[in-house]
Amino acid sequence: MLLIIVSYVAVTLGGDPLRLCAHFVTMEFFPFQLLRAPVLKLKAPNVEQPSAMTVFSVLFLSYFFVLSGIIYDIIVEPPSIGSTQDEVTGSVKPVAFLAYRVNGQYIIEGLSAGLLFVLGALGFIILDRANKKHMSNKSRYLLLGAGMLLIIVSYNLAITFLKIKVPGYMISSG
């Protein structure tokens, strides 16, 4: 690699690549003729390999935080929950969804949407677990039902959240 770089520099500057290469080699090895590198006997630390469930849990938790928009929350610092004033009574009501802004969110809105996505992913994981060998039919049907229920509920709630966030979404104007 060094030879390629030296040749390129020499050709670019109009010099002799072999003479320039000799200078680089001299500069590279000269300090090691005067100095001696110490002999170190370092031992690598014994770190246990984490269990598969630990790795899965850390990845699943990070999946939840990323889908919840934690990076957005850290950068923009939105309020945890919003408020709106009732036109009739004049009282202030709490609001969980930042309506009409698809690219903005309250913290509680992001966490609840992230929880829905995690529940849907958990449903798919449960469906995968139902496909194991040596499982009784009762357990298999129970896992299939629970997985499908989680997927359907999380999907429908996510669509409901989207309809709350963007009023008039998926309503035909015909």
Side-chain angles (χ1 to χ4, degrees):
M1 183 68 177
L2 181 63
L3 186 61
I4 295 171
I5 294 171
V6 169
S7 299
Y8 176 75
V9 170
V11 170
T12 306
L13 298 176
D16 183 21
L18 294 177
R19 201 174 101 220
L20 192 59
C21 184
H23 289 299
F24 271 116
V25 169
T26 304
M27 288 188 325
E28 184 179 358
F29 291 113
F30 180 71
F32 295 108
Q33 292 174 352
L34 297 176
L35 303 172
R36 188 174 49 96
V39 178
L40 298 176
K41 295 181 181 178
L42 298 176
K43 293 183 180 179
N46 280 341
V47 179
E48 285 185 29
Q49 183 178 4
S51 68
M53 199 61 197
T54 304
V55 173
F56 171 76
S57 300
V58 168
L59 288 177
F60 207 62
L61 187 67
S62 63
Y63 175 74
F64 167 71
F65 282 131
V66 168
L67 288 180
S68 296
I70 194 77
I71 298 169
Y72 172 84
D73 292 342
I74 290 171
I75 293 172
V76 177
E77 297 178 359
S80 60
I81 196 164
S83 61
T84 184
Q85 190 170 8
D86 190 11
E87 296 174 2
V88 178
T89 63
S91 63
V92 177
K93 294 178 171 181
V95 176
F97 293 96
L98 187 59
Y100 300 108
R101 288 212 32 218
V102 180
N103 60 346
Q105 70 179 16
Y106 295 126
I107 293 175
I108 194 73
E109 176 185 355
L111 291 176
S112 58
L115 181 69
L116 288 180
F117 291 132
V118 164
L119 286 179
L122 196 60
F124 281 108
I125 291 170
I126 290 173
L127 283 180
D128 182 58
R129 299 286 291 185
N131 199 20
K132 278 190 160 184
K133 291 182 180 179
H134 309 300
M135 184 178 288
S136 67
N137 281 340
K138 184 178 179 182
S139 297
R140 187 180 313 274
Y141 289 135
L142 186 65
L143 286 176
L144 285 172
M148 290 299 290
L149 182 70
L150 280 174
I151 292 169
I152 290 170
V153 166
S154 65
Y155 172 77
N156 286 325
L157 281 176
I159 293 297
T160 303
F161 279 14
L162 190 59
K163 286 181 181 179
I164 292 171
K165 189 159 181 67
V166 184
Y169 178 71
M170 293 181 65
I171 296 177
S172 64
S173 60

